[in-house]
Amino acid sequence: MLEQVLPDAETRLLETENVYIATIEPKQTNQVLKFIRSRLPPTKGLDHIKQIRKLSQDGETRLDVVLCQESLKTSEELQQLLEEAGLSSVVLPRIYGVPLYPPLTREQFEIWKHCWPTTFREDTNRHPEIFDKELETIMGHMQNAWRLTEEAKAKGELPIVAMMVDPVTQNSLAYAHDTRTTTRHILNHAVMNCVEAVAKRERDGCVSHSPHHHHHHFHELVAQDTVPSDTSASNMDVESSSASSPGCGDKRKEHPVEVLDNTTYSSISDEEPIQKRQVLNSSSSTIESAFTSTTPEPTRAKKAYLCTGYDVYLTHEPCVMCSMALVHSRVGRVFYTVPMAASGGLGSVHKIHSHPNLNHHFFVYRVKYDDLTSQSGETTSQPTLVSTDLESASLDC
């Protein structure tokens, strides 16, 4: 049902780097190792390979030893050093390819070890197990996301939906659909709108706890609609409002923002536009106090980032922009159904969630649409909007 989108480092084939090796007698080991450590440059980036490989043939034991990388010494330079050390008749170097990268999976290790002995310690956190009960809840949330595409279609929008869920409580915190059609703004993707909806929820929570905000106003507004729910997912109240979105340069046009939770949050009216966050040009202590002065939510401690550890459910694979927004929001897991072959940022074209140069990584899973319909018993045979429909219209998610 779930297919984890693995980092390229866990799926790549064997790549090698050339090194100089030599076959020696076991009794020559100390002498050769002393020469290597004192006269040859240390290997760089090959800490995962073992320096010595044991060979047994016809009852005799011999050793292959790594001297240095080919890129660090020419064969002439190496031969001259051996002659100076009096080892030219004992050590006969030859070029050999050893694994360039450390194995990250058991499958890689079992293949690469035949090339040259490598160290391997399996990291079980790379593939966290999802048990049946949690899988049922995940599928329920994904089914809810697809049901919400009908609401987007009814409003004349692209039926692309994003939903944010707290994995601890399994409460759906916010959802949003794509609003590029009605707002005519290219940045109003479902993910961007959903992150903004979570930000609105956080702002409303801070306002409701503020000593300057009358307490009973928090309870005055009533939810306007209810999101279809499944036995495996919590009931969710929906509240709609209009809010401005942060953008690059000009502010993005206003668009509907839905907020979901078991608690009703106050909405922001059109007469009260959202103010941009102020840039604090002061000491670090002042900045820290500015973000910690408000009272945190009763059930969860205040997080350093907006969506730290949250699960995100998407009908379609997000584009690079939305994928980077999820990185900056520090989400924990992303589940999506329809891959985007031409623009996907979480598996199809790029793997932003596991890019080695980024300072946050998260897990990504593909959910097969057929599994959703078979589990729910619904007769829908195809996703409301498949990737080719978007790509033919030069759109991404």
Side-chain angles (χ1 to χ4, degrees):
M1 287 187 176
L2 295 182
E3 176 188 354
Q4 186 176 354
V5 181
L6 298 174
D8 289 334
E10 295 188 28
T11 59
R12 62 188 168 204
L13 301 176
L14 174 64
E15 297 180 44
T16 61
E17 180 174 357
N18 286 340
V19 298
Y20 293 107
I21 68 170
T23 303
I24 61 174
E25 300 286 346
K27 62 183 180 181
Q28 300 167 334
T29 303
N30 289 337
Q31 184 182 12
V32 173
L33 290 179
K34 184 178 179 180
F35 164 77
I36 293 173
R37 291 165 185 166
S38 61
R39 305 296 297 274
L40 297 181
T43 56
K44 298 179 180 179
L46 295 178
D47 295 338
H48 56 281
I49 69 168
K50 298 183 178 181
Q51 189 166 18
I52 296 177
R53 176 175 65 176
K54 184 177 179 180
L55 304 173
S56 296
Q57 187 175 6
D58 299 330
E60 296 184 1
T61 299
R62 299 175 69 83
L63 305 175
D64 277 346
V65 58
V66 175
L67 302 176
C68 69
Q69 290 159 295
E70 183 189 21
S71 59
L72 300 180
K73 287 288 181 183
T74 65
S75 59
E76 292 78 9
E77 291 173 333
L78 179 57
Q79 190 61 40
Q80 182 178 353
L81 291 174
L82 289 170
E83 291 175 358
E84 293 174 356
L87 294 174
S88 58
S89 61
V90 175
V91 178
L92 304 177
R94 65 184 187 276
I95 295 175
Y96 187 86
V98 297
L100 175 60
Y101 300 107
L104 299 180
T105 66
R106 175 66 61 178
E107 291 76 12
Q108 289 175 332
F109 172 69
E110 293 298 332
I111 296 174
W112 297 3
K113 70 179 182 180
H114 296 293
C115 174
W116 188 270
T118 63
T119 58
F120 174 67
R121 180 176 296 176
E122 192 166 11
D123 184 0
T124 56
N125 293 326
R126 288 184 177 273
H127 307 282
E129 186 173 2
I130 297 178
F131 297 99
D132 291 342
K133 185 176 181 180
E134 184 182 9
L135 178 60
E136 182 181 352
T137 302
I138 290 170
M139 301 300 281
H141 285 308
M142 186 60 78
Q143 288 165 3
N144 282 338
W146 275 102
R147 292 188 188 103
L148 291 169
T149 60
E150 298 302 322
E151 177 181 331
K153 287 197 299 181
K155 296 178 181 179
E157 301 287 1
L158 295 170
I160 306 170
V161 169
M163 187 168 67
M164 196 80 64
V165 174
D166 185 340
V168 176
T169 63
Q170 289 302 333
N171 287 334
S172 296
L173 306 176
Y175 85 91
H177 55 71
D178 191 290
T179 56
R180 281 175 284 180
T181 300
T182 57
T183 62
R184 296 184 179 181
H185 200 294
I186 61 174
L187 298 184
N188 287 347
H189 295 207
V191 168
M192 305 299 286
N193 294 343
C194 188
V195 171
E196 182 183 349
V198 176
K200 176 189 181 299
R201 179 180 183 275
E202 293 288 324
R203 288 193 297 268
D204 288 351
C206 292
V207 169
S208 66
H209 286 99
S210 171
H212 302 292
H213 186 77
H214 203 277
H215 179 71
H216 70 79
H217 179 71
F218 182 75
H219 303 282
E220 288 179 356
L221 296 174
V222 180
Q224 300 175 357
D225 194 5
T226 302
V227 177
S229 129
D230 186 92
T231 55
S232 60
S234 304
N235 291 335
M236 302 175 286
D237 295 330
V238 182
E239 182 183 352
S240 300
S241 66
S242 181
S244 302
S245 308
C248 300
D250 297 335
K251 295 177 69 175
R252 293 163 60 194
K253 293 184 179 180
E254 296 181 353
H255 58 81
V257 177
E258 282 84 4
V259 177
L260 291 72
D261 199 354
N262 293 331
T263 306
T264 303
Y265 285 83
S266 56
S267 62
I268 299 176
S269 64
D270 292 338
E271 292 76 27
E272 299 176 24
I274 302 171
Q275 299 297 324
K276 291 185 177 180
R277 292 183 180 178
Q278 296 180 352
V279 178
L280 302 178
N281 296 320
S282 58
S283 64
S284 59
S285 60
T286 304
I287 296 175
E288 181 178 0
S289 63
F291 284 94
T292 58
S293 59
T294 56
T295 305
E297 293 184 12
T299 56
R300 287 181 69 89
K302 191 68 176 179
K303 297 181 290 293
Y305 291 88
L306 185 63
C307 304
T308 300
Y310 287 161
D311 287 347
V312 184
Y313 293 84
L314 309 173
T315 54
H316 296 72
E317 181 183 2
C319 65
V320 173
M321 175 187 72
C322 292
S323 300
M324 281 302 302
L326 296 174
V327 171
H328 290 307
S329 299
R330 299 300 194 265
V331 301
R333 298 185 298 183
V334 172
F335 303 87
Y336 70 83
T337 302
V338 181
M340 300 298 295
S343 62
L346 297 182
S348 294
V349 180
H350 304 283
K351 293 183 178 179
I352 301 296
H353 62 290
S354 60
H355 196 287
N357 293 336
L358 296 178
N359 61 356
H360 176 70
H361 298 151
F362 51 87
F363 297 108
V364 174
Y365 300 88
R366 289 192 185 119
V367 182
K368 294 183 179 180
Y369 190 81
D370 291 341
D371 292 333
L372 286 177
T373 56
S374 62
Q375 185 178 20
S376 64
E378 298 175 358
T379 58
T380 306
S381 58
Q382 292 295 329
T384 307
L385 189 66
V386 296
S387 60
T388 52
D389 297 329
L390 295 174
E391 289 156 7
S392 63
S394 299
L395 292 174
D396 49 30
C397 300

